[in-house]
Amino acid sequence: MSDEGEAVVAAVAAVADRLETERSQLTDLDSAIGDADHGGNMARGWAAAAEAVTELDDPEPSVVVKTAGKTLLSEVGGASGPLYGGSLVFASPELEDGITAESSVAFAETYLEKVQDRGDARVGDKTMVDALVPAVHTFKKSVEVDEMAPVPALAKAVAAAQRGVDFTVPIRASKGRASYLGWRSVGHQDPGATSTLFIMEELLDVATEHLETPEELPEHAESPTVPDGEVTED
Amino acid sequence: MVGLVVVSHSRTAAEGIAEVAGEMGGETRIEAVGGDGQGGFGTVADDIEGAIEEADGGDGVVVLVDLGSAVMNAEVAIETGNSEAVIADAPVLEGAVNAAVAATSAKATVESVREQAEAARGIEKL
């Protein structure tokens, strides 16, 4: 098993553990403005995904991601199947040549593209898109413009996702089951944005542990990861 | 002959709608699919893909759907499956009845059946 493949398998297991832990919180959030199935669906789907990826003979990153996505598609009886699972399957080829800063950005952008295409949701609709868009844009900018390493860039993306989750609280839902509630959806945090944040937090933890670790994680948007003088043209 | 698939979060609802449409549908194949596969409400892409295969008599399938995830899972099922299938953007019950009638025409195609299903969007009841 490649180190990267091992890291992705560990990430799927970490996400499964986290979503099991958060099952009741996600259910509570979804009870308020949805159909109360998000906690159970996510916990069950990711547990099945974690099991499926341990059975792979040659778990390269793209294969692990695709397998996890396909398992979610068949195990989750709701919108989370196509949105989380279908998008993972669709974006998985971006990791065929391994996990690099470039391929990670491509993966994140393709995943977001599929979520938006499938769900037809935009920022401000009170959905997972409200967490994903700032996260993916922050990740891309941090890598491509600020030339940060992938792990600290992901840390910034997680912080952006958290702000996106907070943003879902005061707004009115325009997509998803919560949109049927109209103004009654105001004041409630979106469950899909919340689970998206949980998944990203686990990815960051596993990436920090398994992939190239920087000397220190940035705490502020302005913090550079590469000290002046150590940047090389290559 | 064009086949039909009725997708609902509730399997019971899907079966009931298929029954109502079946009264008008003659020999039309109408498959009902729904539920999360665990006894709860929901929709599953793999189950919908199976229903599309069952309904396909060689001339394709029109899929009627209820809410949110039914649409998304039906899209995934169509993308991954081998049958020619389209989703009708129509109210699920009235659209299914219209589609069942349209499918009995000797000249029916997937497009003509979808068009008739979507005509149900304009039905007024009072």
Side-chain angles (χ1 to χ4, degrees):
Chain A
M1 189 190 289
S2 73
D3 288 350
E4 288 181 349
E6 194 181 339
V8 183
V9 170
V12 176
V15 170
D17 283 350
R18 178 71 185 276
L19 293 172
E20 182 56 45
T21 305
E22 307 285 0
R23 179 196 280 254
S24 62
Q25 192 200 336
L26 291 174
T27 298
D28 289 348
L29 291 173
D30 199 28
S31 301
I33 54 170
D35 50 4
D37 66 356
H38 196 54
N41 278 347
M42 290 296 272
R44 192 182 70 241
W46 282 88
E51 193 179 332
V53 298
T54 59
E55 290 164 5
L56 292 168
D57 291 334
D58 186 21
E60 290 304 313
S62 64
V63 177
V64 176
V65 171
K66 187 172 187 179
T67 303
K70 283 194 160 182
T71 308
L72 291 176
L73 263 177
S74 58
E75 290 291 327
V76 178
S80 301
L83 288 172
Y84 292 82
S87 303
L88 286 179
V89 172
F90 185 73
S92 62
E94 303 286 5
L95 300 178
E96 274 173 2
D97 294 328
I99 301 175
T100 62
E102 194 180 23
S103 72
S104 302
V105 170
F107 175 81
E109 286 192 297
T110 305
Y111 179 90
L112 170 63
E113 176 197 329
K114 194 64 177 179
V115 168
Q116 290 197 283
D117 179 46
R118 184 73 72 200
D120 194 28
R122 289 181 292 184
V123 168
D125 285 342
K126 200 180 181 97
T127 70
M128 65 179 70
V129 169
D130 292 325
L132 268 180
V133 164
V136 173
H137 288 191
T138 299
F139 187 58
K140 181 181 171 73
K141 189 251 186 185
S142 300
V143 168
E144 294 183 357
V145 180
D146 301 336
E147 299 183 4
M148 292 169 70
V151 172
L154 183 56
K156 285 189 68 176
V158 168
Q162 175 68 63
R163 292 193 291 276
V165 168
D166 296 340
F167 167 66
T168 66
V169 176
I171 61 177
R172 176 182 167 168
S174 309
K175 285 285 173 189
R177 193 63 72 89
S179 65
Y180 290 86
L181 293 174
W183 287 106
R184 284 162 59 201
S185 64
V186 168
H188 298 281
Q189 183 173 309
D190 182 65
T194 307
S195 60
T196 296
L197 172 66
F198 292 157
I199 291 169
M200 289 189 60
E201 286 177 345
E202 294 308 311
L203 294 184
L204 175 60
D205 271 1
V206 173
T208 305
E209 196 179 320
H210 286 256
L211 302 177
E212 198 175 35
T213 312
E215 286 176 16
E216 62 179 48
L217 295 178
E219 292 185 356
H220 304 292
E222 295 75 26
S223 303
T225 34
V226 183
D228 288 341
E230 289 191 16
V231 179
T232 53
E233 295 286 333
D234 56 9
Chain B
M1 194 166 197
V2 176
L4 303 182
V5 169
V6 178
V7 186
S8 171
H9 279 60
S10 156
R11 182 167 179 84
T12 309
E15 286 171 350
I17 291 164
E19 278 178 12
V20 173
E23 282 192 307
M24 308 285 288
E27 299 297 308
T28 306
R29 289 192 202 181
I30 308 177
E31 292 293 323
V33 60
D36 67 355
Q38 318 277 322
F41 296 117
T43 59
V44 180
D46 286 358
D47 296 347
I48 300 171
E49 189 180 331
I52 290 172
E53 277 174 30
E54 285 291 318
D56 191 2
D59 293 326
V61 175
V62 173
V63 183
L64 284 302
V65 292
D66 64 357
L67 307 172
S69 75
V71 183
M72 289 186 245
N73 275 316
E75 286 175 351
V76 171
I78 289 168
E79 285 166 16
T80 54
N82 297 318
S83 294
E84 180 196 4
V86 296
I87 299 171
D89 185 5
V92 58
L93 176 87
E94 290 86 340
V97 172
N98 271 16
V101 174
T104 59
S105 159
K107 294 178 184 173
T109 62
V110 162
E111 278 311 312
S112 72
V113 173
R114 169 163 77 170
E115 204 172 288
Q116 282 308 305
E118 293 183 349
R121 282 187 289 188
I123 291 177
E124 292 183 6
K125 296 184 184 174
L126 291 176

